[in-house]
Amino acid sequence: MIAVEIENIKRFMAGFLGGDLFDDFLMNEGKLSMDIAYEFNGKVLKEFYDTEEWEKYGTYPYIPWEREKSRMFALIKGKKTPLGFQFVMMLKPEKVGEFLVKYNLAVNQEEIAGLFVNLLYDRQSLKCTSGVSRRSFTLDRGLEEYWDKEVSERLKEFM
């Protein structure tokens, strides 16, 4: 796990809420504190959709960030910055496979519960931490090391 301090918060937020910086992620959960506090469980509720919509949108267990970011932007935009927020972002499953191939990692994808980036803003700073969730214990930390490297690369322009 690494922790990255975001120096250029404004530019990062433009990419996060208005760009495609995290479009290959799902929103696992989130919290937003403004004049009131919001808590989000990113789990998709199948019963909300009719059959045709579910066939179109029901690909993932959690909401894709590319579909949710405009709602978050609508909540956050305004003259005042939020008191704080925390978002837990999870790499889309098909991107996990691409990540494993990119770094030539001999890890069974079914053993990975998720590759995460946690975003924590407190009006003073914005920190991003990496995280890996496995379905079983192993002493090998290669996956974690390469995920840290991937997150660092993704965020280096904001550090």
Side-chain angles (χ1 to χ4, degrees), residues 10 25 55 68 76 90 101 133 141 143:
K10 189 172 187 170
F25 281 78
E55 288 174 8
E68 194 60 23
I76 292 172
M90 182 171 80
V101 168
S133 178
R141 294 289 161 233
L143 176 64

Side-chain angles (χ1 to χ4, degrees), residues 26-128:
L26 308 173
M27 184 179 80
N28 188 266
E29 63 182 74
K31 296 177 185 176
L32 174 61
S33 299
M34 298 176 30
D35 54 338
I36 64 171
Y38 300 89
E39 289 192 31
F40 308 97
N41 176 338
K43 196 146 185 80
V44 175
L45 302 175
K46 183 177 182 177
E47 54 275 5
F48 179 76
Y49 299 96
D50 62 33
T51 305
E52 188 176 301
E53 289 173 320
W54 182 250
E55 288 174 8
K56 181 178 179 183
Y57 294 124
T59 310
Y60 305 109
Y62 295 95
I63 192 84
W65 182 246
E66 62 200 345
R67 284 194 10 232
E68 194 60 23
K69 67 184 173 185
S70 62
R71 271 188 249 194
M72 293 301 125
F73 179 70
L75 284 172
I76 292 172
K77 73 178 179 180
K79 293 181 182 179
K80 288 187 167 188
T81 59
L83 295 171
F85 64 72
Q86 178 180 3
F87 289 100
V88 179
M89 310 300 289
M90 182 171 80
L91 191 65
K92 288 180 180 176
E94 70 270 15
K95 297 295 182 177
V96 172
E98 291 175 21
F99 165 76
L100 294 174
V101 168
K102 177 180 178 180
Y103 291 103
N104 198 29
L105 294 169
V107 177
N108 185 344
Q109 189 170 341
E110 286 74 40
E111 290 296 314
I112 302 170
L115 299 176
F116 296 92
V117 175
N118 301 298
L119 310 171
L120 181 62
Y121 172 73
D122 65 4
R123 244 190 183 174
Q124 304 297 317
S125 64
L126 176 58
K127 293 181 179 68
C128 300

